Amino acid sequence: MALLVVIHVLSAVIGVGPTYFFPALLRPSLSPADLRGALATAQRLARFPQVGGPLAVVSGIALVCLVDTHLFSQTWVAGSIALFVAVQVIIIAVAVPATKKLAAWAFHPSNADATALPPVAESLYRRVRTAHMVASVLGTGLFALMILKPS
């Protein structure tokens, strides 16, 4: 059981941790060249949640089932699951599509010499930043519930 707890905690940190890097990478204002670098780094970091997230969910469900399935009705477990789902929805439904569109603009050869983001790209950039900021706040709430375990 202790090994499962370790797997759960590490996978949660690995799965949610990179969410905190995105707001730092996506500063309020970036040049197109800096944006390309930030998007390339973000793409590499995105691999961690793709592995850590599902592993955290599976190991968390396994822990609850091994300890007591009635835990699913406790505030901290239900809240943690709700926050995790909310983070996933924000990232999958908002951040990923906007990031793909933004990356298509940023890496298009005709924009290689651009010195500023056009309004459409600026709007996408703000949407991506906001989605990641919200996901970071929700992730903090998720960790707080998992650590404090309020009843």
Side-chain angles (χ1 to χ4, degrees):
M1 177 103 98
L3 178 61
L4 191 55
V5 171
V6 170
I7 290 169
H8 180 65
V9 170
L10 288 177
S11 63
V13 170
I14 291 166
V16 177
T19 303
Y20 296 102
F21 287 109
F22 292 116
L25 284 173
L26 305 173
R27 297 182 309 274
S29 179
L30 289 179
S31 70
D34 289 338
L35 175 62
R36 284 187 283 279
L39 288 171
T41 301
Q43 185 177 26
R44 287 190 298 277
L45 284 173
R47 293 180 188 139
F48 292 98
Q50 292 168 352
V51 173
L55 186 57
V57 170
V58 170
S59 60
I61 290 170
L63 280 168
V64 170
C65 290
L66 287 172
V67 173
D68 181 2
T69 56
H70 290 94
L71 286 174
F72 282 116
S73 64
Q74 287 197 0
T75 303
W76 69 273
V77 174
S80 297
I81 292 168
L83 287 174
F84 182 81
V85 169
V87 168
Q88 296 308 306
V89 168
I90 290 167
I91 297 301
I92 293 168
V94 179
V96 169
T99 301
K100 285 181 180 179
K101 291 176 186 174
L102 184 60
W105 178 86
F107 292 107
H108 193 276
S110 66
N111 299 320
D113 295 329
T115 57
L117 298 178
V120 171
E122 184 68 38
S123 175
L124 288 168
Y125 184 69
R126 280 194 306 274
R127 188 175 311 149
V128 170
R129 282 192 79 241
T130 300
H132 282 291
M133 293 285 234
V134 171
S136 294
V137 170
L138 294 177
T140 300
L142 171 61
F143 279 124
L145 285 175
M146 297 296 285
I147 293 166
L148 299 174
K149 299 180 182 177
S151 51

